[in-house]
Every structure is written in C-alpha cells, then in structure tokens.
Amino acid sequence: MSVSVRASDTALVDFVYREARLIDEKRLDAWYELFTEDGRYWMPLTRGQPDGETHTSLFYEDRLLLKVRIERLRSPNAFSQQPPSFCQHVLQQPTVEQADADANRYVLRTPFMYAESQLDRQLILAGVSWHHLVLIDGALRIRLKKIDLLNCDAALPSIQLFL
Amino acid sequence: MGRYRHNAQAIRALVRPDSVHRDLYLDPELFELEMERLWRHTWIYVGHDSQVPEPGDYYTAQVGREPVIMLRGTDGTVRVLANRCAHKGTKLIGAVTGRCAAGALRCPYHGWTYRLDGTLRTVPLKSGYEGTGFESSEAARGLQPFACENYRGFVFVRLGADGPGFEDYFGESLSSIDNMVERSPAGRLEVAGGVLRYLHDCNWKMFVENLNDAMHPMVAHESSAGTAKRVWEEGGSVSPAPMVIEQFVPFVNGYDFFEKMGVKVYDNGHSYTGVNFSIHSKYASVGDYERRMTETYGEERAQRILGEARHNTVYFPSLTIKGAIQAIRVARPLAVDRTLIESWTFRLVGAPDELLGRTTTYTRLINAPTSVVGHDDLHCYRSIQEGLASGGNDWVNLNRNYSSAESAGVTGNYGATNEIPMRGQYRAWARYMTLGTQEG
C-alpha cells in the first residue's frame, strides 16, 4: 500500500509565483516544461464557459500550440514582435482551493494584474488564474491553467504573450 | 470647411483605375462621409436571425453612426429599428441581447413605450400633449424601421432612403450565403460559440482589402503557419495531422496554389476567392456529417455543396464570410484609424457537434485578439496606417494584373493573385460616396 506524498501549501504557492516569473523573464522553454503531456492553457471568451471545444476561447492551447507560439516568438518573421513585447504579472497571494493527495489533485486560485507593453503601447488586464496541478516524480506540473479574464467579453487589442 | 463634402469630383479623383489616394485611409472628413453615404446607401450586415429566435428577442448593434435594434416582432418578422427614443434620444436598450418585457420597448428615462414594430404605444400623462400639435411631430411617428432584408437568416439593413435594392446590390454573390446555409443537413444556421471582438487600430478598408488578398499569406503568416508546419514535422509529422495543423499549414502554400484557387469578382465591390479550391478543401471529413448531407440532398447535390470550398467572400463594405468553415467577420468602423472586427461562428443545424468544434478552433487560431495569424495581419494594417502618413507618394498601388478592359466592368473570373477585387471595391466606394451628390 503506497502512502500518498502531499505537496505542501508552501510548495504549491511558490510554484504559482515561479510560473508567472518564468513568463515575465521569457524563460519560455522552462515554462513549457511545466505542462503535463496533456496539459492545457485556457482563457475562456465568456464567464462560466463550460468548455473550450464547442465554444470559442481566447486561448485553448495544448502543448503543440504552446510550442508553436514559443517558437514563433523567436522567428525573425514574427513581424508583430518588432519591436518585441514584454510582460509583467502582479499576483495576489494564491490560495489553495483543493489539495487531494490521494487523487493527486491540487487547485489554486490567484487574482492577478497583467501588463503587456510594446514600446509606447501598454495593455493592462486583470483576472483570476486557476492552476490545476499534479505531482509527477516529486515535481509539480500543470494539467490546466485557466485564466478568467475580467473583461473577457470586451473588444480587445492584440494580446501577444502569456497571462 | 472640408475638401470633399461638397466636391464629388474631388472624391472621384481619389480612385484611379489602378491606384487609390492615401486620403481614403487617413482623412477624418472622408471617414465621416463614409458613415453618412457609403454606410447608408449600401446594405450593411446587422446580425443573424437565430440571435433573436422568439418574438420580443433583440440584439443591439452599431451600424455606421447609428445604434440599432434587431428585433423579432409579434408577427415573427425581424426588423431593424433605431435604438433611440423618439422623445429625447435615449437609447432604448442598453444590453446587447435580451427579450423585451411585456412585449414592448420601454424607455428607461421617461417611460415611453413602443410596440415591437416600432410604433409608439403609450406616453405617461398623455393629457399633457393634448392640443400641443404632438400628433404631427417626429416623435409621434415612433421608431422608424429601416429598410431591412432577412436573406436566409442574414439580416442586412440600408439606413438611407437612397440606394440600390437588396438583390440588385448583391446579385449572384449571394451564392456564397446559399452554400453556407446548404452545408446544414437541415438547411439552417444558428449562431453558436460566442463572438470574438478584436480592436484594430487601422482604417476598416485595410481589413476588407486583405480578405481577398492572396499575395500576403505566405509572407505575413510564415512565422505562424510556417512555424506550425515545422514544429509538426520535427515531431515526426504524426498522421493524421491534428486539426490545428490541418488549419494552419495551408496558409503557407505557395504562390501557385493561391493563384490557381481563383477569384470571382462581382459589381458593387463583392468578390470571393477559392473558385476552384481553397485552404479549406482538404479538411478531413467529420463523423457522419457527409452521410447526413447525402440523406438530405442526395449524393450528387451533397457532393456539389461540399465541393464548394470558397475561401473568403466579401460583401462590401461590412461583411466577409467563410461558408466552408462557418465563420464570418464583420467590420464595424469606429474612427478613421480604428475598427472593431467581430468574428461570429455558426452551428450547421443537423450536423455533428465536432463541426462546430472545428469552426471554433479555426476562429480562435485565425481571428482572435490572441491569434498569431491575426497579430501579423494587424501589424501590417497598422504599419500601413503609419506608413501612409509619410508624404512623397500619395498613391496606394493596385496595378497587379490590371487591364484597361476593366473600364467596362470588373465582373468575372480571375487568377486569385490579381488585385482586381480591391479595384472593384474602390469603384464601388467612389460610386456610393457620390451617389445623389451635387457636383460642386
């Protein structure tokens, strides 16, 4: 009979902070590796949207699509990134909403502000991120990062990096 | 005092057979005139009747400068009314969608109510109007319904009294809507999957021109579609290709592919690319969709409907549709350098849900404010907006495959890299920008 290893609240919260920092510092290969093989990065288009299959989302990326985005940012032909964009997350203290070691299921809720700048333009967004994490070989990984954007239904300009 | 309002000659001089003046994209006076003339003399897309399925259901939108209500009446007819109380001008409805309570529109300010056909029903303390001449006022006429056409669910409005009739204006280009509707085994479309609203800081015409510009995908979309192709190949080209790869990769097909897909051009600025085939032609079949189509239409007709895989159809100036993927884009100009692009998606009634999934995936990948394809398109439009501000060359060149024979008309079939769809759009632009004006 195996004894479940439980991720500590500190480790969970630290993970969320580190994940945002990897994006802000553009360490996107390391960020990509945080996702499980079946991991998803999801930003719904409407409040309470049940799924990303038969309803349009702003992001509904599997690992393949995340890889395409990350590789594209390095392309000399990514014209919309000339000049490049930068981003900054400001996170409220994440709260552990679920921690079920037996089911290997951890859910955190993190209100955030996000700024994305490109030379003289700056976009400010706010919302709540939900991290659905699992422990694999002792390391936390992301099965789902869901971002509930406060103004998901607004007319939006280009959002080019990752929230 | 503007240069163009009282000078139709000056407006016509902005459009040459093979080029257009940069003022079309930059001049605020021309933008105002577009809203007053082009956007009032022509047929503008408002919404789809499936957005207002029951009597009293409404959808509000902005058409040019006009806030409008698309409303289903008690008789089942869909009308388009001004969203402006006849009393003092308050917008009667603030929400985007909903249902009128008690079968009437009620102004939130002084409580005037209107029937669903727009006629005035009640005014509080009506005795205050007795003997005032109110009956002959504009207000007593209620909300004037605009000229409106519900074409197989697609609701268009012509705001102005002058302008061509609906069939005359669109003519045979309506075959693209026919094909989109017939792709439903039930012959019916329903709006589904939400609406993407993408703010473009550029003139609306950059967007509309681009829809049938077959010379840009392999350049502008190399970084997105080309990267997708490479990532998939480096991963071993796993077969069958995931749907997102199937959708991305054709964007970086070569010039030969885009030339040979063909473009059909109609009068009044309308056109569609993908006469012979398109980037949508090789999508894998989904579930038992084809069997359901055959049940409805018979083998031969079903194959003919599905064999049409038109790329983009432009219903100048406001609507562009992709029947083969059941997605449409609507241009809502906000200012000379600001445009809202709405992307709507549709369920083919009677088709498997996976098809709606394909549609929502496509529109997310290509049309969203988060789309890597959209990012590069918008970057180019914005660059034009900024680049055209430079002096020295006033003209935007549209010479590709130009022929002087076009002076007799642009209607016909062409190789799709021809810039004739744009030349056709600007002929129509000049026509409706000067319709009924006095020479000054």
Side-chain angles (χ1 to χ4, degrees):
Chain A
M1 192 175 134
S2 69
V3 178
S4 300
V5 179
R6 187 191 187 285
S8 72
D9 282 8
T10 311
L12 292 165
V13 168
D14 285 354
F15 179 91
V16 171
Y17 283 126
R18 188 165 68 88
E19 189 257 342
R21 182 169 172 173
L22 287 175
I23 297 173
D24 293 345
E25 294 178 351
K26 292 198 177 180
R27 293 160 65 193
L28 295 175
D29 290 329
W31 178 67
Y32 171 80
E33 293 302 333
L34 296 181
F35 286 82
T36 60
E37 289 302 317
D38 61 350
R40 282 270 179 193
Y41 172 82
W42 182 26
M43 192 156 90
L45 180 59
T46 55
R47 295 179 188 86
Q49 185 178 317
D51 66 71
E53 300 295 336
T54 55
H55 194 288
T56 305
S57 301
L58 289 160
F59 289 99
Y60 190 64
E61 317 294 90
D62 57 9
R63 295 240 308 183
L64 173 67
L65 284 174
L66 286 179
K67 186 89 174 162
V68 169
R69 282 184 186 273
I70 291 166
E71 293 294 324
R72 172 185 171 271
L73 288 173
R74 300 185 176 123
S75 164
N77 295 328
F79 303 115
S80 77
Q81 279 299 295
Q82 299 170 14
S85 301
F86 297 91
C87 68
Q88 178 66 60
H89 288 77
V90 180
L91 306 185
Q92 186 175 310
Q93 168 86 12
T95 52
V96 179
E97 302 287 315
Q98 270 188 51
D100 185 340
D102 292 334
N104 195 9
R105 179 180 164 80
Y106 302 92
V107 180
L108 288 92
R109 174 185 185 274
T110 312
F112 69 86
M113 298 283 293
Y114 169 87
E116 189 176 295
S117 79
Q118 187 170 31
L119 204 61
D120 297 331
R121 298 165 190 273
Q122 184 164 277
L123 168 68
I124 309 270
L125 297 168
V128 173
S129 287
W130 298 85
H131 288 77
H132 294 239
L133 307 179
V134 292
L135 261 181
I136 297 176
D137 299 332
L140 285 167
R141 306 273 295 277
I142 302 170
R143 177 150 282 154
L144 171 68
K145 181 179 180 184
K146 175 168 173 268
I147 300 134
D148 289 332
L149 201 62
L150 179 63
N151 61 341
C152 58
D153 53 356
L156 293 165
S158 294
I159 302 171
Q160 299 202 54
L161 298 176
F162 301 98
L163 282 85
Chain B
M1 184 66 191
R3 283 176 289 167
Y4 296 114
R5 177 171 294 280
H6 302 291
N7 193 345
Q9 195 84 40
I11 291 176
R12 287 194 195 96
L14 297 170
V15 178
R16 295 170 173 169
D18 58 0
S19 49
V20 294
H21 194 278
R22 64 183 175 132
D23 276 9
L24 265 77
Y25 309 86
L26 300 180
D27 190 291
E29 185 197 1
L30 281 175
F31 179 79
E32 288 306 320
L33 293 174
E34 285 178 342
M35 297 301 99
E36 290 174 27
R37 297 177 184 175
L38 182 65
W39 242 256
R40 296 182 66 84
H41 296 320
T42 65
W43 290 87
I44 306 296
Y45 179 71
V46 181
H48 192 265
D49 73 358
S50 64
Q51 293 170 265
V52 290
E54 299 296 329
D57 286 351
Y58 62 79
Y59 163 70
T60 62
Q62 182 89 12
V63 175
R65 290 293 192 219
E66 196 83 42
V68 301
I69 309 166
M70 180 173 84
L71 181 66
R72 194 178 287 273
T74 41
D75 58 354
T77 303
V78 175
R79 294 182 182 79
V80 177
L81 308 171
N83 190 3
R84 177 214 188 276
C85 183
H87 177 206
K88 297 191 79 173
T90 320
K91 279 170 74 172
L92 292 165
I93 299 177
V96 179
T97 59
R99 184 171 297 175
C100 300
L105 290 156
R106 182 169 186 270
C107 179
Y109 194 12
H110 298 102
W112 288 30
T113 63
Y114 301 86
R115 296 176 193 88
L116 299 185
D117 63 2
T119 53
L120 187 58
R121 192 164 84 171
T122 58
V123 174
L125 288 181
K126 193 155 189 198
S127 57
Y129 287 101
E130 282 169 13
T132 65
F134 176 73
E135 314 77 57
S136 56
S137 71
E138 290 84 355
R141 293 203 290 271
L143 313 172
Q144 296 289 316
F146 296 112
C148 175
E149 181 80 23
N150 181 349
Y151 186 79
R152 305 193 77 168
F154 290 76
V155 178
F156 293 82
V157 72
R158 196 191 66 208
L159 297 173
D162 302 327
F166 181 83
E167 297 278 345
D168 285 344
Y169 186 64
F170 287 121
E172 286 177 30
S173 70
L174 292 170
S175 59
S176 288
I177 292 180
D178 294 339
N179 180 257
M180 184 165 167
V181 174
E182 285 162 4
R183 283 171 171 267
S184 153
R188 215 150 40 82
L189 301 173
E190 275 175 9
V191 164
V195 53
L196 287 163
R197 302 169 69 231
Y198 190 176
L199 267 183
H200 281 42
D201 39 2
C202 66
N203 188 271
W204 63 273
K205 294 188 284 300
M206 277 94 161
F207 170 81
V208 174
E209 277 181 41
N210 186 63
L211 272 282
N212 281 337
D213 178 324
M215 288 296 288
H216 85 282
M218 64 296 286
V219 182
H221 303 311
E222 196 286 323
S223 77
S224 49
T227 299
K229 186 166 186 253
R230 201 172 60 251
V231 166
W232 177 60
E233 285 168 356
E234 284 168 6
S237 304
V238 183
S239 186
M243 187 186 281
V244 295
I245 293 299
E246 183 182 77
Q247 294 184 345
F248 262 140
V249 169
F251 277 80
V252 281
N253 285 345
Y255 290 111
D256 192 54
F257 175 90
F258 282 101
E259 166 69 8
K260 287 182 177 157
M261 76 171 169
V263 62
K264 187 162 191 124
V265 180
Y266 302 96
D267 196 18
N268 288 324
H270 318 307
S271 61
Y272 74 87
T273 35
V275 178
N276 306 310
F277 52 82
S278 78
I279 60 170
H280 307 301
S281 294
K282 290 194 173 169
Y283 291 170
S285 60
V286 173
D288 64 348
Y289 172 53
E290 287 183 30
R291 184 185 59 75
R292 296 191 201 183
M293 285 291 285
T294 303
E295 271 175 22
T296 300
Y297 297 104
E299 178 82 31
E300 194 199 324
R301 184 152 174 235
Q303 287 308 312
R304 203 167 57 238
I305 292 165
L306 297 174
E308 286 273 347
R310 300 181 183 188
H311 178 53
N312 287 307
T313 301
V314 172
Y315 291 104
F316 188 75
S318 70
L319 173 68
T320 77
I321 78 165
K322 260 187 189 300
I325 195 76
Q326 297 92 52
I328 68 169
R329 282 176 278 181
V330 185
R332 308 268 193 218
L334 304 173
V336 68
D337 57 358
R338 211 167 144 77
T339 308
L340 175 60
I341 305 300
E342 296 175 347
S343 296
W344 295 87
T345 44
F346 293 81
R347 179 198 304 281
L348 296 171
V349 178
D353 270 355
E354 293 95 310
L355 269 179
L356 178 57
R358 185 172 81 180
T359 300
T360 59
T361 298
Y362 183 88
T363 204
R364 183 182 88 244
L365 290 184
I366 311 300
N367 302 334
T370 43
S371 157
V372 285
V373 171
H375 292 160
D376 283 323
D377 277 329
L378 177 53
H379 172 83
C380 293
Y381 309 155
R382 181 196 285 162
S383 297
I384 297 170
Q385 195 76 33
E386 293 173 1
L388 285 179
S390 68
N393 177 2
D394 283 337
W395 297 93
V396 170
N397 186 277
L398 299 173
N399 259 112
R400 175 173 288 281
N401 302 108
Y402 170 70
S403 152
S404 58
E406 287 169 29
S407 60
V410 292
T411 305
N413 280 299
Y414 306 90
T417 63
N418 194 321
E419 285 173 337
I420 194 168
M422 301 160 213
R423 295 193 290 273
Q425 287 163 17
Y426 292 117
R427 288 163 73 107
W429 183 91
R431 182 182 307 153
Y432 294 106
M433 285 291 281
T434 55
L435 187 76
T437 55
Q438 302 295 317
E439 290 302 327

